[in-house]
Amino acid sequence: WLLTASCSDETLVVGIGDHGEGVGEKIFGKRFVGHHVHVNTLVSHIPFFIAGPGFPKNTSANELRPAQIDVMPTVFEFLGHSVPEKYKIQGLSLQAQLEKPQTRALATEAFPIRGHKFFKFFTKAQKMSPDKMREAFKKMSEDDSYAPKVGVEKGPLKLVYDTWLTQAWVYDLAKDPLERKDIRADDESRAATMDQVLDDWRRTQTWVLEELTKL
């Protein structure tokens, strides 16, 4: 990501990509074009630009690894407000990250529903109860043609989990940024660490969903 030059003394400007794009790179040995189905780095790593008071000018800070979930707390902090605790926000403000960088687990999900079908579902979901919405989403997921996946990164490691196969691959992005070599067999200890990271993240999402359902 890149911190750009300040636009004014009072304005915060944030520009962020919603996803990357495959243009023929290989994933699991097959060339991939698009931005769906997979959660590998070429899809999950996106540009993040920010400019405004309190942020350094013309500075690249790739080591911070900000995420889309950080936009909301960043804007709230810029405006001098705290995000209400009841919303269980999992992101961090970029102001806080600049002051005290930290390694954390960051996740990407690929749902089996996409395109027109995806947006049509969420239009209908606004009129459903939480239980009905989850039931409908589960049914659509089971009926579709490709497996939902989760990718979770922490430090230099990334785990890719296929929920249909219940199989996980682990990569060392520092040595293998294109995610071509699964290190699970050669480094069982670090692979087990990432398995735990995934389990912890999934438990957190279950808890957050339960808490938000109470609102």
Side-chain angles (χ1 to χ4, degrees), residues 82-161:
S82 298
V83 180
E85 193 277 334
K86 66 180 181 179
Y87 295 127
K88 310 303 177 189
I89 297 300
Q90 298 176 64
L92 299 172
S93 74
L94 293 186
Q95 296 93 322
Q97 292 183 61
L98 283 170
E99 293 174 4
K100 188 178 181 180
Q102 58 180 285
T103 301
R104 56 183 173 146
L106 293 173
T108 303
E109 289 188 84
F111 300 111
I113 309 164
R114 63 188 178 95
H116 177 71
K117 189 175 181 180
F118 184 85
F119 294 108
K120 186 176 181 180
F121 166 76
F122 277 99
T123 299
K124 291 182 177 180
Q126 297 178 37
K127 301 177 182 179
M128 298 179 182
S129 68
D131 287 341
K132 287 289 186 182
M133 181 172 62
R134 286 195 291 274
E135 182 181 334
F137 188 80
K138 181 179 179 181
K139 186 177 187 304
M140 290 179 68
S141 298
E142 292 171 346
D143 291 345
D144 230 299
S145 58
Y146 62 89
K149 300 179 183 68
V150 177
V152 60
E153 292 184 37
K154 190 170 185 181
L157 297 180
K158 179 167 184 176
L159 179 148
V160 173
Y161 179 72

